[in-house]
């Protein structure tokens, strides 16, 4: 098994972002914008962007540079955690 096949598991927080991106894409037919994630997770734009970069660096998602709403989740859907509702 090569290093990529032994990819680390996402943290709980990363798992929630992956689950959100996957569910949003299913419902809306396209990936969420970072602004959508800001609203859902109630965090700042830099925090969302940092998470997106981390997920991409760790090989959990793929993006097309310069193309909006181009996030693709690379983690099998059955391994994603249930999406938790954010408490307000």
């Amino acid at each position: 098994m090569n290093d990529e096949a032994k990819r680390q598991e996402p943290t709980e927080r990363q798992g929630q972002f992956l689950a959100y991106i996957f569910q949003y894409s299913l419902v809306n037919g396209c990936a969420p914008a970072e602004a959508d994630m800001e609203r859902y997770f109630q965090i700042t734009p830099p925090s969302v962007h940092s998470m997106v970069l981390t997920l991409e660096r760790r090989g959990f998602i793929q993006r097309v540079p310069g193309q909006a709403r181009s996030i693709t989740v690379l983690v099998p859907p059955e391994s994603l955690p249930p999406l938790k509702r954010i408490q307000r």
Side-chain angles (χ1 to χ4, degrees):
M1 191 186 285
N2 66 24
D3 286 334
E4 187 143 356
K6 291 190 286 189
R7 184 182 327 175
Q8 293 180 1
E9 293 296 311
T11 65
E12 184 177 343
R13 183 102 168 126
Q14 290 168 352
Q16 285 300 295
F17 271 83
L18 292 168
Y20 175 80
I21 294 165
F22 179 76
Q23 292 295 327
Y24 185 101
S25 299
L26 274 182
V27 171
N28 296 288
C30 64
E34 289 189 7
D36 297 317
M37 291 182 265
E38 291 165 27
R39 282 189 294 274
Y40 183 80
F41 291 102
Q42 300 172 17
I43 58 176
T44 65
S47 295
V48 170
H49 189 67
S50 176
M51 178 60 79
V52 169
L53 293 177
T54 298
L55 293 172
E56 185 175 39
R57 188 174 56 251
R58 294 193 64 200
F60 298 137
I61 63 169
Q62 183 176 358
R63 298 183 304 154
V64 177
Q67 183 178 329
R69 298 181 182 268
S70 65
I71 298 172
T72 303
V73 176
L74 302 177
V75 177
E78 60 274 8
S79 70
L80 294 174
L83 185 59
K84 296 177 183 170
R85 185 155 186 88
I86 300 297
Q87 300 299 318
R88 291 187 178 208

